Amino acid sequence: MNRLVMMFLKNFWRVPGAFSRLWHYARHTDEYPELEKYRHIQKIMRWAVSSGNIDLQVFGKEKLPEENGYLLYANHQGMFDAVAIAASYDGPLATVFKHELKDVPLLKQIVACTKSFAMDRADVRQSLAVIQSVTQEVMSGRNYIIFPEGTRSKNGNQMGEFHGGSFRCAVKAKCPVVPVVFVDCFKVLDQKGSKPVSVQLHFLDPIAPEEYEGMKASDLAAMVKDRIQQTLDAALGN
């Protein structure tokens, strides 16, 4: 059986109420506390994990900064990455995602509830506006996760290029940067069938602003990618 179909069938009795409430939150987002909205999203994502024959192993949550106002940068392996992070991160947490997904049902409502931003990399002016908006939000105490590859890797645990522009937010905000590592997450939806699968999510030691002071965004991108690669190699036994 397809894993997505299995997730739906195991939760079909929950879907109407859960999705109706999410749609309501999205339409009236300013009327509800941010944490309340995030907890509802997190509950949906945890249902997906528990019903999908997925062993999600999370490491390093204790390393996350105690004070809000930081950025997480992660390798990108597929749609399940967002499910894994929302199910694991105590939040609230927002993201920057590609413009083509902005009208996808469910994602659209989650975006409205979390104050996430869609970035059109083909539109330089719009991209710069998103970077500025995220920078201001982080400086005001919000936390964001960014996937600097811009799109999911087509090669499993092998990463693509990290775009330096994604790190301008951190350089401008002068905030802690937390590398995040997804291991084998592509297997959840890329592999056929619904047999049990084990995936890993690692939160690495934060990089303090003082550690990357004076660096270009591209240099910070290389540093973060290197730390993610080291954890990937260790997890895979390379």
Side-chain angles (χ1 to χ4, degrees):
M1 181 186 298
N2 178 279
R3 197 178 304 274
L4 280 175
V5 173
M6 182 178 70
M7 290 177 182
F8 176 79
L9 291 177
K10 286 187 175 181
N11 292 288
F12 79 95
W13 58 277
R14 292 167 161 162
V15 168
F19 281 26
S20 175
R21 188 164 187 80
L22 179 61
W23 261 247
H24 178 79
Y25 279 142
R27 288 194 301 268
H28 308 280
T29 187
D30 293 334
E31 299 177 16
Y32 294 92
E34 189 172 22
L35 187 57
E36 178 181 336
K37 293 178 291 185
Y38 185 80
R39 284 286 179 264
H40 184 68
I41 294 168
Q42 187 175 58
K43 179 169 61 177
I44 294 172
M45 298 310 171
R46 287 177 173 173
W47 288 342
V49 172
S50 64
S51 62
N53 276 349
I54 302 162
D55 174 26
L56 174 58
Q57 302 173 25
V58 183
F59 304 91
K61 283 180 67 173
E62 73 281 356
K63 298 178 181 179
L64 290 168
E66 293 183 2
E67 294 186 7
N68 290 322
Y70 57 86
L71 284 160
L72 302 97
Y73 287 92
N75 61 319
H76 195 11
Q77 299 192 337
M79 289 175 57
F80 184 73
D81 297 350
V83 177
I85 195 75
S88 307
Y89 183 86
D90 292 335
L93 182 67
T95 189
V96 176
F97 63 100
K98 60 183 181 180
H99 181 77
E100 292 83 354
L101 299 176
K102 67 182 180 68
D103 293 321
V104 174
L106 182 60
L107 178 59
K108 181 178 180 179
Q109 285 67 40
I110 291 175
V111 166
C113 289
T114 58
K115 205 169 185 178
S116 295
F117 292 98
M119 177 180 284
D120 184 355
R121 294 188 181 274
D123 186 333
V124 176
R125 180 176 295 181
Q126 192 269 354
S127 296
L128 290 174
V130 169
I131 289 171
Q132 185 60 31
S133 295
V134 172
T135 300
Q136 293 300 320
E137 292 294 336
V138 171
M139 292 176 70
S140 70
R142 294 174 63 82
N143 305 323
Y144 279 78
I145 184 168
I146 296 176
F147 298 95
E149 291 163 278
T151 187
R152 74 180 184 90
S153 170
K154 300 288 185 9
N155 299 303
N157 287 306
Q158 183 177 334
M159 287 187 288
E161 177 188 358
F162 273 28
H163 299 287
S166 301
F167 290 82
R168 291 177 184 169
C169 303
V171 172
K172 289 177 176 291
K174 298 179 181 179
C175 65
V177 168
V178 181
V180 177
V181 189
F182 292 103
V183 183
D184 288 338
C185 282
F186 67 95
K187 294 180 179 180
V188 174
L189 298 178
D190 284 3
Q191 293 185 349
K192 294 181 179 179
S194 56
K195 292 182 179 179
V197 61
S198 180
V199 302
Q200 297 178 25
L201 168 58
H202 297 257
F203 297 99
L204 306 188
D205 291 319
I207 302 172
E210 296 78 15
E211 192 173 347
Y212 64 82
E213 184 177 3
M215 282 188 180
K216 296 179 181 178
S218 57
D219 295 331
L220 179 56
M223 176 191 288
V224 171
K225 184 178 182 182
D226 181 64
R227 296 190 183 189
I228 291 175
Q229 186 66 60
Q230 289 180 36
T231 300
L232 264 174
D233 289 343
L236 297 169
N238 295 338

